[in-house]
Amino acid sequence: MTNVKIVTDSAASLSPSTIQNSHITIIDLPVFINGKFYGSVNNISSDKFLHLLANCSSQPVIGPANVNDLTKLYDKLGSDGSQIISIHLSSALSPTFKTAQSAAQASVSDVLVIDSKATSSGLAYQVTKIAEHIQSGYPVELIAQGLTNLRCKTKTYFSVANSDQLINRQLISRFRGAIERKLKTSYIYQFTNNNFNLMMRSRSCQSIENFWHNQIQKMHNENIVKLTVLHAGETQWANLIQEVLANEFPFITIESRITKPEMASYMGLESTGITYLLG
């Protein structure tokens, strides 16, 4: 049986034990401030990156993966005859998927590159499932086919109170963003079909709370098997959501983590996300 190895992004919300036990290779991306190299995402904690995002006059920028470096990585991992599954953060959020495609074409190894079409937690769900299927001896083609169903069963919602990165990422226009910033507008997005869909914008905290209340009621009619809360430093709101979810779904283990730099650079500060997987 051919050995299969996994390559993915640091954006995946994976525990160190999962990375080690499943022999997952994490791509390291450069971080620039004022056009100068500052460090790499694998060596900058999420807390540190959020501090930079909040306090630097010139916001940190995560650079793309290097095609040549990624090609060499694939060549090295496949030198023993192993196949490689390289799965990445949604192509709508990061250029790494396209870079990986170019690197795979240049590599002498057998590499299957997959667009997870998911945010951090959704990517983690897919990587975990890939690792399970590899352990069970599934062929690469069958593993890839199974991910389509997993994506359909993954639901992701974000609440965002700080619009700076939404403006930078052109999810909202600069003109509208400037006005709504003064009005202290908050936003609710759903990530689906590889895109962010605006569900609500409101100046009222009560309206945002009502949305989450209604969403949680809908979740009671779904067969949820995994639930993850990610936040960009907004611990009070994240803790409140986790507490509510724990009371509503006492038999489901709920993970709560600070978001990785790749997602923080997209959604910005004061954002909280919920991702859950249906059985």
Side-chain angles (χ1 to χ4, degrees):
M1 181 176 66
T2 303
N3 190 34
V4 182
K5 298 177 180 178
I6 303 171
V7 175
T8 192
D9 305 325
S10 63
S13 301
L14 297 168
S15 66
S17 60
T18 297
I19 294 171
Q20 181 177 0
N21 294 338
S22 300
H23 307 290
I24 298 169
T25 300
I26 304 296
I27 293 176
D28 208 3
L29 300 177
V31 177
F32 298 94
I33 298 178
N34 285 322
K36 296 181 180 179
F37 178 74
Y38 179 84
S40 56
V41 291
N42 288 355
N43 295 317
I44 299 175
S45 69
S46 295
D47 285 315
K48 177 64 175 179
F49 187 84
L50 290 175
H51 177 78
L52 295 172
L53 201 60
N55 295 287
C56 288
S57 56
S58 177
Q59 290 188 337
V61 175
I62 298 177
N66 182 279
V67 175
N68 291 333
D69 290 344
L70 197 50
T71 301
K72 291 177 182 177
L73 174 63
Y74 290 155
D75 288 347
K76 180 180 178 181
L77 292 175
S79 62
D80 60 357
S82 295
Q83 291 179 291
I84 300 164
I85 295 178
S86 193
I87 181 167
H88 303 284
L89 193 66
S90 164
S91 57
L93 307 177
S94 166
T96 304
F97 167 68
K98 291 183 179 179
T99 303
Q101 285 183 311
S102 298
Q105 290 176 354
S107 175
V108 296
S109 297
D110 183 1
V111 186
L112 174 64
V113 180
I114 298 174
D115 182 357
S116 72
K117 299 182 180 180
T119 59
S120 292
S121 297
L123 173 59
Y125 294 168
Q126 292 182 46
V127 172
T128 302
K129 181 58 68 175
I130 290 171
E132 291 173 358
H133 283 171
I134 290 173
Q135 186 67 28
S136 298
Y138 284 37
V140 167
E141 295 77 12
L142 193 58
I143 293 173
Q145 291 173 13
L147 295 181
T148 301
N149 185 46
L150 191 67
R151 290 188 200 106
C152 293
K153 293 183 176 182
T154 302
K155 310 295 181 182
T156 299
Y157 297 89
F158 282 95
S159 173
V160 184
N162 185 318
S163 63
D164 288 351
Q165 289 303 99
L166 299 182
I167 295 170
N168 291 339
R169 297 291 185 172
Q170 299 181 346
L171 288 176
I172 56 177
S173 70
R174 290 192 176 277
F175 177 74
R176 182 164 195 163
I179 294 174
E180 292 181 338
R181 185 189 294 117
K182 292 181 180 180
L183 297 175
K184 296 183 178 180
T185 301
S186 294
Y187 310 84
I188 299 286
Y189 283 91
Q190 181 183 16
F191 191 82
T192 182
N193 297 323
N194 213 26
N195 195 24
F196 281 104
N197 294 322
L198 181 64
M199 305 291 289
M200 172 185 287
R201 51 163 40 96
S202 177
R203 296 165 55 191
S204 167
C205 291
Q206 187 61 51
S207 295
I208 300 297
E209 290 178 10
N210 288 343
F211 171 86
W212 285 118
H213 174 77
N214 292 333
Q215 181 58 37
I216 288 171
Q217 295 310 306
K218 293 177 183 178
M219 290 165 64
H220 276 292
N221 297 320
E222 299 177 296
N223 179 26
I224 299 174
V225 295
K226 282 188 179 182
L227 216 170
T228 307
V229 178
L230 288 181
H231 64 89
E234 191 68 9
T235 55
Q236 183 176 357
W237 182 239
N239 290 339
L240 175 61
I241 291 178
Q242 184 178 11
E243 182 180 343
V244 171
L245 290 172
N247 289 330
E248 296 286 341
F249 306 99
F251 301 110
I252 300 174
T253 300
I254 302 172
E255 296 181 337
S256 181
R257 297 177 181 173
I258 188 168
T259 190
K260 296 289 187 176
E262 291 95 323
M263 281 305 302
S265 69
Y266 204 96
M267 298 308 296
L269 301 166
E270 301 177 59
S271 61
T272 303
I274 291 178
T275 298
Y276 59 93
L277 179 65
L278 304 179

